[in-house]
């Protein structure tokens, strides 16, 4: 039973850490700090992997039925489920924000490329354009 409680506590810690990490990721996306976004994404993958592995260990534990029988463990499991659900929602929102930021970057990049192409263009006195040769 103590081993199961330890696994549930570890699961709660990982879920809480993931929740906090997603808040940091949200801030990094809003500030468009790419190196932070990348490092947080790596940390996120590690935490999700730990959550999955711990979930499997809990699921195969011989005392797994006590998760519903024991009021203390049942409360912890409900708390973990709630945090993980909130994390899933936050992750979706962060993903959408990241996609919007990427789209904005692509549009800006395209505009920059178009304007660089036009910088080399000038007009002669007959209002015909010709390529500017510096």
């Amino acid at each position: 039973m103590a081993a199961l409680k330890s696994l549930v506590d570890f699961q709660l810690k990982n879920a809480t850490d993931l929740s906090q990490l997603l808040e940091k990721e949200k801030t990094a996306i809003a500030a468009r700090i790419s190196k932070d976004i990348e490092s947080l994404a790596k940390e996120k993958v590690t935490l999700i992997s730990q959550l999955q592995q711990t979930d499997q260990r809990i699921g195969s534990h011989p005392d797994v039925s006590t998760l519903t029988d024991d009021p203390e463990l049942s409360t912890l499991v409900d708390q973990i489920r709630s945090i993980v659900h909130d994390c899933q929602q936050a992750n979706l929102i962060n993903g959408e924000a990241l996609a919007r930021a990427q789209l904005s970057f692509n549009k800006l990049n395209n505009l920059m490329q178009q304007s660089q192409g036009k910088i080399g263009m000038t007009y002669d006195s007959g209002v015909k354009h010709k390529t500017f040769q510096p």
Side-chain angles (χ1 to χ4, degrees):
M1 172 85 170
L4 184 60
K5 169 85 166 80
S6 174
L7 285 171
V8 171
D9 287 342
F10 185 64
Q11 192 73 325
L12 179 60
K13 180 193 177 309
N14 283 330
T16 304
D17 289 350
L18 181 60
S19 178
Q20 293 168 352
L21 184 135
L22 288 165
E23 274 301 312
K24 290 179 189 174
E25 183 182 58
K26 178 179 162 184
T27 302
I29 291 169
R32 297 184 179 182
I33 305 170
S34 60
K35 72 176 181 58
D36 288 355
I37 295 168
E38 184 179 346
S39 69
L40 290 168
K42 289 177 183 176
E43 286 181 55
K44 182 169 57 172
V45 168
T46 301
L47 281 172
I48 291 170
S49 176
Q50 285 178 349
L51 281 164
Q52 291 170 335
Q53 290 170 6
T54 305
D55 196 48
Q56 290 171 354
R57 289 178 64 197
I58 290 170
S60 64
H61 195 280
D63 296 329
V64 72
S65 63
T66 60
L67 291 179
T68 52
D69 300 341
D70 182 289
E72 180 188 358
L73 289 178
S74 178
T75 301
L76 289 174
V77 169
D78 289 344
Q79 188 178 358
I80 292 166
R81 284 187 179 138
S82 176
I83 293 169
V84 168
H85 177 266
D86 292 347
C87 286
Q88 289 169 332
Q89 296 304 309
N91 195 48
L92 284 173
I93 291 167
N94 287 357
E96 290 169 2
L98 194 54
R100 284 192 305 273
Q102 183 65 40
L103 186 62
S104 294
F105 172 79
N106 289 343
K107 285 181 181 179
L108 179 61
N109 192 30
N110 287 341
L111 286 172
M112 293 295 289
Q113 288 176 351
Q114 288 173 4
S115 68
Q116 286 175 348
K118 291 179 181 176
I119 288 173
M121 205 181 295
T122 187
Y123 293 87
D124 63 13
S125 60
V127 191
K128 294 181 182 173
H129 78 271
K130 59 183 180 181
T131 303
F132 176 69
Q133 302 286 331

